[in-house]
Every structure is written in C-alpha cells, then in structure tokens.
Amino acid sequence: MHIENVAVVGAGIAGLATALAFARRGIACDLFEQAPELTEVGAGLQVSPNAARLLAKLGLLPQFEAVWTEPRQISLVSGTTLRPLAHVPAGDYARQRWGAPYGVLHRATLQRVLREAVDASPLCTLHLQTPVREAPHSTLGQLTGRSYPLVVGADGVWSTLRATIEGSPRPSFSGHVCWRFTIPDALVPGWLSRDQVTAFLGPSTHLVAYPLREIGGFNMVAIASGASPGRTWDAQATESHRQRLFGEFRRWDRRVVDLLRQAEQPTFWPLFEVGTGRWHNGRDTVLVGDAAHAVTPFAAQGASMAIEDAFALVRCVCEATDLTQALSTYQASRQERVAKVRSRGAFNRFAYHARGPIRLGRDVVLSLQPPESLAADLDWLYGYKAD
Ligand SMILES: Cc1cc2nc3c(=O)[nH]c(=O)nc-3n(C[C@H](O)[C@H](O)[C@H](O)COP(=O)(O)OP(=O)(O)OC[C@H]3O[C@@H](n4cnc5c(N)ncnc54)[C@H](O)[C@@H]3O)c2cc1C
C-alpha cells in the first residue's frame, strides 16, 4: 500500500530512524520533538551488526565509521580477579560473520548523524520544541495543516502517545541503576584494554567499559541494584549515592574499587522497562523503540532494537494491503523478536550477576567456550535482517 505522509512523535534514535526509513521508500515524514534542541545528554551506546546493517542501508555507515570504535572483541572478565573468562570476536570478524560492523559511540553522535540525514532529506521535516501530549492526530494536523494516516509514537520509555492505545504496556522500574562516568585517555589504567568492550562480572553487579573516540577516553557503566531517582537520564550522584555504589562493589578487585572512588562527576540513570501489551490501536497509531518495549541494557540492544523497529514498520506498511494489517503484522513480528532479546537479557543478568557456587560454575563453563561457539550463539541476534 502507499501512504503520502506520516507523523513521528519523538526525535530520539527510534524517531529519527523511522523518519529516514519512510523517506527511503518515498513517504514524507514530519517529526515532532518536545526538546528545543537535541542536546548531548547520555553516554555510550553499542550498535551491533543487526542495526549497523540498517544504518548502511541509509547510506550512513561512512559517517559512523569516521567516528565510532569497532572493538576487536567483546570480553567477559571476572570483576573479583580481573581474569579473562571468555570473548566474542568482533572487528573484522563481525563484518565477515554477520555482514556488518559492531560499533560503539556516544549517543549524541548517533543522534547527530541521523539528524543531519533528516535535515538533508527533502522528505523529512523536523519540528523542534513541539511536545505532543494528547489527541495527536488533530493536534498535529492543526500544526502543519496536513492530515496523517499514521502517527508513530517514538517518544521513549515515558511515552505519552502510549496512553492513547488501549491495552498498551506500562513502564516499571527494574530495580537496577546504571552509574556512568568517563575516564580521560591519560588516566586509563593498564588493566583496561583499549581495543575491546569489556564486561566485568561481579556478585549482583557488573561494569561495562569501552573506549569512545568522541570523548578521548573511556565510557564506564556500572550496574547494580538501587532506588530510582525518578524519570531522568542524568541524575547527579550525591555522596550517599556514591557510598551506596561502593557498597555494591565492595567485593570487587581493589583496582576497580579504586577506579570507582576516583570517578569524577558520576551520574546515574534508573533502568525502566516497558512490559507487554498492544503497540497499536488497529487504525492509525503505533509505537516504536523504547515507547513500545524499553529493555534493560543486559543485552546492549536498546538502540539497535529501535533502529530495527523503524525498518520493520516501514516494510510492513509498504507491503500490506491496508494499515490495520500492516500494524498487526508489525506488532506480531517485532514482539516475537523483542521477547527473544528480553530472554537473552534476563539470561545475561542471571549469568553476569551470579554469586557463590553458581558464579564459580559460570566461570568454568565460560572458560571452556571457544570464541567461535559464543559467536555462533549470537547469529540469531546479530545476523537478523529487519528489513
Ligand atoms: C537523553 C537520553 C539519554 C540517553 N542515554 C543513553 C545512554 O547513555 N546509553 C544508552 O544505552 N541509552 C541511552 N538512552 C536510551 C536510548 O537512547 C534508547 O534506549 C534507545 O536509543 C531507544 O530510543 P528511543 O528513540 O525509543 O527513545 P529515546 O531515546 O528516549 O527518545 C525519545 C524522544 O522523544 C522525545 N519525546 C518524549 N516525549 C515527547 C512528546 N510528548 N512530544 C514530543 N517529543 C517527545 C524525547 O525528548 C526524546 O528525544 C538515552 C535516552 C535519552 C532520551
């Protein structure tokens, strides 16, 4: 089927990717963002080959290759001894095995490159400082004078568009908090490898570290249980928050604890999830990205799932005979995919945060895994073609 134009609410990763994916098929897109500017909030993001393949379809891979880092491998390392446990090869191996690269970059860079592509597209118009709260179809129609057969809610984990869909999922706090800080290149300790993503695993906690070229240093994310500071991406950690973090990591190798103690201006970010439910109203409104299914970062798939959603939605709209059919096909296929990613995240959470004898068993099992077999175990995830 063909529609002339679409409205997208929210210019995060999901919204920008959706606008570009529609434009690629000749469908005009108005993009409405509440913020007056797309600012540099956030930190590092991982873009796995399943999403990098789609960025390549948009013709944007060269822009990303110029700024991101392609880690040689994803390593799992014991947080209590700093002993390497296992690794999944990435770098050139990822390009060969999954047909696309694995990159790490700052969220602001991903958003900037997508936004520049939106600005350059004659079919996309970005409207900043335009919050869309209720009755989206009539509100948006009044704003632009156009009518929209389809409104896409890409307005994130605390989506307001979601409330217009009966039976839609609800957000809830996962009980985990991410602590984020950066280390400038000059201060990076020798035990942190500069050419890999490293996940350090400890009792009820883990720490992910990788280099970011854009900041000239390392992106560090420590994940532990904690209380939610509310709806924020960037709460400043107070002294009592810091003490709580040190308490959670007290059984870790001394060198990591020292690094956490030296962290300058750590921020923290409560991990919210969006559960299961309907993503569309059967007529003219549909959700993508975190608005539909925010997942915890245990499988590092938040941004990649948002980019996949964009392409899957556009494919369903272009291939279906009517919108109702398109929306239900989109929901069915994406819910199946996201459920698998969620299960993988739950498995990783169990394995990463294991304690006592389970942790010892995990370390033995991981040490026996050849990198090839760990890579093969990820074919369903990284080799997926959402378009
Ligand atoms: C500020 C910020 C920082 C983040 N930092 C990180 C990070 O460091 N690491 C990481 O892994 N993930 C981070 N994330 C989450 C990550 O971007 C998402 O998990 C993933 O990219 C999917 O994004 P999304 O586009 O679905 O939602 P989001 O990235 O949340 O984008 C939603 C967009 O919709 C806009 N919006 C919300 N409500 C309305 C409304 N009513 N009207 C109009 N616009 C609206 C928001 O301003 C935002 O731009 C961050 C998200 C945000 C918003």
Side-chain angles (χ1 to χ4, degrees), residues 28-44:
C29 199
D30 280 298
L31 189 50
F32 301 91
E33 166 60 44
Q34 65 181 2
E37 226 351 292
L38 303 182
T39 50
E40 303 220 346
V41 195

Side-chain angles (χ1 to χ4, degrees), residues 49 53 88-101 370-380 382-385:
R53 165 180 299 114
V88 180
D92 289 343
Y93 181 92
R95 286 177 176 264
Q96 275 152 31
R97 183 171 192 110
W98 298 299
E372 282 274 341
S373 107
L374 288 174
D377 193 36
L378 290 163
D379 284 347
W380 67 272
Y382 297 160
Y384 187 81
K385 297 186 172 70

Side-chain angles (χ1 to χ4, degrees), residues 10 13-14 33-34 43-45 107 132-133 155 160 180 233 290:
I13 308 309
E33 166 60 44
Q34 65 181 2
L45 281 178
R107 178 182 181 274
V132 180
R133 299 268 177 249
D155 49 348
T160 46
R180 300 190 292 198
W233 294 106
D290 280 7

